[in-house]
Amino acid sequence: MNSTTIDGATVGWTDTGAGETTLLVHAGVFGAWFEPLAGLLGGRVIRMLRAGYTGGAAVREPIELAGHAAHAAALLDRLGTGPATVVSHSSGCAIALQLAVDRPDLVARLVLSEPPLIDELLDPADLAEVRSTIGAALGGAMAAAARGDIPAAFDAFNSAVCGHDYRAVLTGVLGEDGLARAERDAEFFFTNEVPAIGRWTPPDPARITAPVLLVQGADSPGATHRLIGRLAAMLPDARVTTIAGANHLLPLTHPAELANALSASTISTAVPR
């Protein structure tokens, strides 16, 4: 894993392969969401480890979601990639949406996997239920984090969002060391990223000119499916694909199916290196 400093923050990255570029922007809580997917993609693959998820590099100042998007843009600029397919998951989707509006010259295609169930994106009909379920779990997780009990915060949040078997999935895919690293990574999520998500104002999806692929797990809640349907209706050029047997853990449990979905919807425009 390489690292670079952008606006005073440490960002990690790997850069493998050649050809059309794919940038992987991981979700919150931990940074290993796209480890299984990265090795399944063709072309040039850049896996970004966002500021706050690079181990010993502490983040002292809050980073807004627009800041994470600016880090992604700066990384692509430094690596000289030109326009890329930007693949994101959960809260990473908010960063990818921001990037597509702020730097449309760098986004050839946008892939949004399981966008987060936050008020600003939800179908209004789902607000009350999501607040009473996911919102309550997040509140408990934030309270635990405030007490300094990050493992309890990690467990409360992931049990609600990813299902009670999430630990078995993480251990099976990332190993015991990977699970322990994920718990350590989570401190940034609860202390920095969650407040930033609360301050974020989504850009108007109608401003996004790049083609967008929206990916959902068939076993994800109805609120996720309705959120994706709502986004698809607002985006000028959008497709939706559903991965059977998957939920919010889909980049870890179904990386091959996700890779196939990306390949099936590949745009024909060549991206020079």
Side-chain angles (χ1 to χ4, degrees):
M1 179 68 66
N2 304 293
S3 65
T4 189
T5 300
I6 302 172
D7 295 333
T10 300
V11 175
W13 51 276
T14 61
D15 184 0
T16 58
E20 296 185 13
T21 301
T22 299
L23 173 69
L24 303 178
V25 181
H26 64 78
V29 187
F30 57 92
W33 284 98
F34 281 135
E35 279 188 9
L37 177 67
L40 301 177
L41 300 176
R44 185 181 185 184
V45 180
I46 298 169
R47 184 167 73 87
M48 176 182 179
L49 193 61
R50 298 198 273 113
Y53 295 94
T54 55
V59 175
R60 307 193 191 286
E61 299 295 330
I63 302 177
E64 304 299 332
L65 296 192
H68 287 290
H71 295 168
L75 181 61
L76 293 177
D77 283 337
R78 290 187 186 188
L79 295 176
T81 66
T85 291
V86 178
V87 180
S88 56
H89 179 65
S90 195
S91 63
C93 296
I95 295 165
L97 284 167
Q98 193 70 53
L99 175 64
V101 169
D102 293 348
R103 289 293 306 273
D105 58 305
L106 291 177
V107 180
R109 180 172 58 136
L110 195 59
V111 180
L112 307 175
S113 165
E114 294 266 313
L117 295 175
I118 58 177
D119 289 3
E120 293 78 9
L121 298 179
L122 281 167
D123 186 312
D126 289 314
L127 276 171
E129 181 180 355
V130 170
R131 285 174 179 172
S132 68
T133 54
I134 303 299
L138 178 59
M142 294 296 285
R147 298 192 303 268
D149 192 347
I150 300 301
F154 181 85
D155 186 64
F157 181 81
N158 284 301
S159 293
V161 174
C162 299
H164 293 289
D165 63 343
Y166 80 90
R167 296 186 76 88
V169 172
L170 266 61
T171 302
V173 177
L174 304 176
E176 291 286 354
D177 288 345
L179 174 60
R181 169 71 184 265
E183 286 189 334
R184 292 194 298 271
D185 283 356
E187 181 175 2
F188 174 80
F189 177 73
F190 293 113
T191 60
N192 196 308
E193 189 165 331
V194 170
I197 292 170
R199 293 188 295 268
W200 181 60
T201 300
D204 180 1
R207 295 174 57 193
I208 296 175
T209 56
V212 180
L213 175 66
L214 293 141
V215 182
Q216 61 190 5
D219 294 347
S220 291
T224 295
H225 296 175
R226 286 184 289 274
L227 183 157
I228 283 178
R230 183 169 180 261
L231 264 180
M234 292 189 286
L235 289 159
D237 184 357
R239 292 182 52 214
V240 176
T241 191
T242 302
I243 295 182
N247 63 7
H248 201 67
L249 290 166
L250 73 84
L252 298 176
T253 58
H254 293 71
E257 291 85 346
L258 181 54
N260 289 339
L262 303 186
S263 177
S265 62
T266 299
I267 56 176
S268 60
T269 304
V271 179
R273 283 194 62 182

